[in-house]
Amino acid sequence: MNNEFLHKIPWQPLVFLWLAYAWLGWYLSAHDIAWLVGAFVAALVLAIAWRTIAGLERLIRFGSRALTVVLFLCASIALIATWSIFVTFLVLPLTTTLLAEMELRFSGFSKRDTFLLLTAIAGCGLAVGEAIDLILIPSSRY
């Protein structure tokens, strides 16, 4: 395996993305909400992230990489702390998707590879969240 390729992958944002979708998958499963909702949220977040890349590129040109990451993290923490649970389950995957998108683009991944990787991680996270509810920590069903 190409060792240089593994060093190029930004692992931390991808782990955050996976955790956000695993949490969403667990929440949907624990509250008996259909998988269709999880797929809808994932598709919505990926579509929004795909469309806002031009705005992010302008923001990246304006400030440094660290400033951009800090702004996104501060905004996501503020939104999570102040908004309802349903908005949190839209905002958290969106912010982590945007962070992972930026990091993958900085690492030199193409748009197609970035989209496929983000989609695979989102689907895997939803499945792991479902498995956690069904196997490891079953929620009370009734």
Side-chain angles (χ1 to χ4, degrees), residues 61-85:
R61 273 188 252 125
F62 174 71
S64 69
R65 179 177 171 187
L67 175 65
T68 305
V69 172
V70 168
L71 287 175
F72 275 114
L73 289 176
C74 290
S76 65
I77 289 170
L79 289 172
I80 289 169
T82 59
W83 288 19
S84 72
I85 193 76

Side-chain angles (χ1 to χ4, degrees), residues 38-106:
F40 174 73
V41 169
L44 180 70
V45 164
L46 288 170
I48 291 172
W50 197 259
R51 296 286 182 209
T52 58
I53 296 306
L56 288 175
E57 288 174 356
R58 276 186 259 125
L59 181 63
I60 291 168
R61 273 188 252 125
F62 174 71
S64 69
R65 179 177 171 187
L67 175 65
T68 305
V69 172
V70 168
L71 287 175
F72 275 114
L73 289 176
C74 290
S76 65
I77 289 170
L79 289 172
I80 289 169
T82 59
W83 288 19
S84 72
I85 193 76
F86 294 111
V87 176
T88 299
F89 284 115
L90 288 174
V91 172
L92 184 65
L94 177 63
T95 55
T96 55
T97 301
L98 291 174
L99 175 65
E101 171 87 25
M102 283 189 331
E103 290 293 329
L104 287 170
R105 297 288 292 214
F106 281 135

Side-chain angles (χ1 to χ4, degrees), residues 2 8 25 27 46 71 101 117:
N2 190 354
K8 194 168 116 172
Y27 183 81
L46 288 170
L71 287 175
E101 171 87 25
L117 185 60

